[in-house]
Amino acid sequence: MDFAWTSEQEQLRDTVAQFLEARCPTTHTREFMDSELGYDRSLWVALGRDMGLGGIHAPEEFGGAGLSYAETCAVLEQMGRALYSGPYFSSNVLAVNALLVGDSSQSQELSHDVVTCVHSSTVAFIEKSVRWDLKELECSEHDGRINGQKSFVLNGSGTDIVLVIARCRSGSGFGLYAVQEDSVGLSNETIRSLDLTRRLTRITLENVEASKLAEWNESKHQEFLDLALIALANEMAGGAQRMLDSALEYASTRVQFGRTIGSLQAIKHKCSEMLLNIELARSAAFCAARSVSDASERTKMASMAKAMASDAYMKVAAECIQIHGGIGFTWENDTHLWYRRAKSSEVYLGDAPYHRELYLQASGV
Amino acid sequence: MDWSEQRVRQEVRTWLDSNWDPNALLIDWRNKLVDSGWGMPAWPERWFGKDIPAAMIPIVQEEFARVNAVGVARTGIRLLAAETLLAHGTDEQRERFLRRTLTGEEIWCQLFSEPGSGSDLAGVTTRAIRTENEWVVNGQKVWTTSAHHADYGLLLARSDWDVPKHLGMTYFVVDMRQQGVEVRPLKQMNGHASFNQVFFTDARIPLNNRIDEEGNGWSVAMTTLAHERKAANALAGNTAETSRDGTIYQEEQRENAVLTEPYTWYPQRAGRVDLAIERASATNNLGNDVVRQELARLLMMAQCSEWTAMRARAAQEKGQPQGPEGSLGKLANSYIARQALKLHTMTTGLDSMLDGDDAPLNGLIAEILLSVPAISIAGGTDEIQKNIIAERVLGMEKEPRLDGGPFRDVRKN
């Protein structure tokens, strides 16, 4: 494994960072988080289509740039940092991953439109039982129609195409299906989410027409989940870094007792610990992003990355509020926006204790 | 001379081919090696070196490893002494000390820390007073590894109390085998006595044993410490093989044994992460969910810390700016050791009350439990490490200081 960024990766990272810094300040995010869609669609198109980030790790036959997952994760780290609120994670990562893992001529065809942001998409795979294991799936397809309910669908409202993972009643096993958002029988309901910058949707499907894209099974599902966890862990590392930067900035300007609070050891020690936690989590996320092709390692790495990121992001977000003092827990201060993201990312697809256990199992312990 | 990689390899190989003899006397071989310059190849030719670029040292090491040739003496703090003298000594001092240091005939110790100045090294109060024809030293040093074996000590002492603290120190080479120097072992809470206390009572230092200028001791000490950090980083992979054929290896091993003895418990101080799974299994705790959580925490932390160090190294090799990764290792090791301690306690349970032969693994677990508290103190406390990270890596404002002005007036222990 190469433990250093390549110069191309650095360039990509810096380009995305600069773009988001210019186009996605929190004033912009706040404006759109109250809008009907929850995000700025034109900004998403600018990132995905104009900058060519819509399918970084998708091979060319899927319409992508054919780079590695490490590049996608480098972009996500910057998005986490900027608290980017568009459907990049749900559409250009989760949905693209589902299409790649599904790997059929149908998924290939659909992928082109997702990668170029002609369509926004998302994957509906968690159900009301709040589990994501395949064997607990209740949603099922029969004669080309799906019945059931999906929940915790990221950016599910206003999405053009919903990819649904469901049981096949007509055959056996499971399938990956594409459903048009405006189909008859599909109703979606935005759930009030803790994270104001990432919308959650509950989707009810009653006899909804669905086209089957690919067969789905345990190993595909595992790969899809691993990839999601690794992407999320990298996004979280970026968010955590932002919390430290924000705390440092405040500590270097806030004066009490005739000195900046950053000159106090109590604050210094907090910040050093934050850095240590972030760097350990970043190492896990970094290495996981570079080990996706090795199925035997991938699951273990994904769980480690998610466990480390869950604890680190939550810790630094809470410390960032603490270092800000009174202003830190006001609505006006931006820290809570990241804190909300940290909390919801902490539990999405399993919290740290859950993944510590999976890590041991995947390690054969 | 213009060195190319090819030329370095060729010359060292030729020299080894005609000179290396695994059955030579160690001292004869070392003298030959020191004369040749291949013992310290990056040093100047004038001083037992070859003037090769530092980047080519690995080539020399490879050639030595190829024939299993013994290098210059490295155990203890010899090379820190040698490097310090090379950088700050006079020609006469280099002439006097360097050869016998590299051959291993002389053993050194480092006399920096004091009971009253631990984290704040620049607060030393051991005093050196200059008389007409010598320096007279009084005071106490502590945490001195191998002082009882040492011929010479690197001493940092206060020579001027009327200037600010960093400007009033002078650096000396002190003869340890004299009346005014008393060495007493310092027994630690884990029962080992790896370190010593050294008491100076009118100890004498000849005038020509002062290193660098009077008052310049702090900057000389910084040179020693910089080489100490470098040596600590290079320590891995320097393990002696025991199965090699030749009398010289036995001699070398005996030499090593004396100075590496104090370090036997260091793996226990680091928590013995390598025993974690084995112990959890041996104590039937692999089915215990609480233990499993702590075990996973430990293994992940250790793994991620290793990767963090590798990221730092890889970035450095690529010439990328030094990130924060490099400064975090020591702090991470403290957290890892403490987590390991917690886990060993959980798996060992009531047997954690036992010690020695009555305790699990013949007292090894007990030794871990009693050694780990040292790791977040030795070589710089976690608190100082966090200050360093905060100020140098994160760029936070320095703590206002209360120790300016003449050292005489600064508050002390």
Side-chain angles (χ1 to χ4, degrees), chain B residues 367-413:
Chain B
E367 190 165 286
I368 296 171
L369 304 183
L370 294 173
S371 299
V372 164
I375 200 168
S376 43
I377 299 168
T381 63
D382 278 8
E383 287 69 25
I384 291 293
Q385 199 61 27
K386 286 180 191 172
N387 287 349
I388 292 171
I389 291 167
E391 290 174 9
R392 303 210 189 133
V393 180
L394 299 177
M396 299 178 82
E397 196 178 312
K398 281 197 186 310
E399 182 94 355
R401 300 188 72 135
L402 301 173
D403 57 357
F407 186 66
R408 190 178 296 287
D409 304 330
V410 171
R411 187 168 170 186
K412 304 174 200 56
N413 287 295

Side-chain angles (χ1 to χ4, degrees), chain B residues 67-83:
Chain B
V67 295
N68 273 329
V70 170
V72 296
R74 285 177 184 277
T75 43
I77 65 138
R78 289 183 169 109
L79 287 188
L80 310 190
E83 295 280 7

Side-chain angles (χ1 to χ4, degrees), chain A residues 1-7 10 244 248 251-252 259-265 267-273 275-276 279-284 286-287 301 303-304 307-308 311 352-357 359-361 365, chain B residues 277 286 289 291-297 299-301 303-312 314-315 318 320-321 324-325 328-329 331-332 335 382-391 393-394 396-400:
Chain A
M1 193 190 307
D2 190 351
F3 282 92
W5 295 87
T6 65
S7 47
E10 281 188 320
L244 174 57
L248 286 172
S252 71
R259 58 200 280 195
T260 65
I261 60 168
S263 70
L264 296 162
Q265 293 196 12
I267 304 295
K268 281 182 178 158
H269 291 191
K270 265 189 202 303
C271 291
S272 299
E273 284 197 10
L275 178 69
L276 177 61
E279 286 301 323
L280 294 181
R282 197 198 298 281
S283 290
F286 181 98
C287 292
M301 300 286 265
S303 281
M304 167 152 38
M308 295 297 290
D311 282 348
Y354 175 84
H355 281 288
R356 279 195 282 270
E357 177 55 37
Y359 164 80
L360 281 191
Q361 288 173 18
V365 177
Chain B
I277 296 176
L286 279 181
D289 283 341
V291 168
R292 290 180 70 80
Q293 283 291 314
E294 299 303 333
L295 175 62
R297 260 184 219 278
L299 297 177
M300 287 185 193
M301 242 198 271
Q303 176 68 83
C304 291
S305 170
E306 198 178 305
W307 283 336
T308 303
M310 288 169 94
R311 279 173 52 223
K318 283 205 169 173
Q320 290 168 3
E325 310 91 81
L328 295 168
L331 190 58
Y335 286 82
D382 278 8
E383 287 69 25
I384 291 293
Q385 199 61 27
K386 286 180 191 172
N387 287 349
I388 292 171
I389 291 167
E391 290 174 9
V393 180
L394 299 177
M396 299 178 82
E397 196 178 312
K398 281 197 186 310
E399 182 94 355

Side-chain angles (χ1 to χ4, degrees), chain B residues 177-198:
Chain B
R177 306 198 187 277
Q178 61 166 301
Q179 271 237 304
V181 177
E182 189 198 345
V183 177
R184 286 187 217 154
L186 178 60
K187 190 171 173 181
Q188 298 129 224
M189 62 180 275
N190 65 0
H192 289 276
S194 305
F195 310 101
N196 299 281
Q197 305 181 77
V198 179

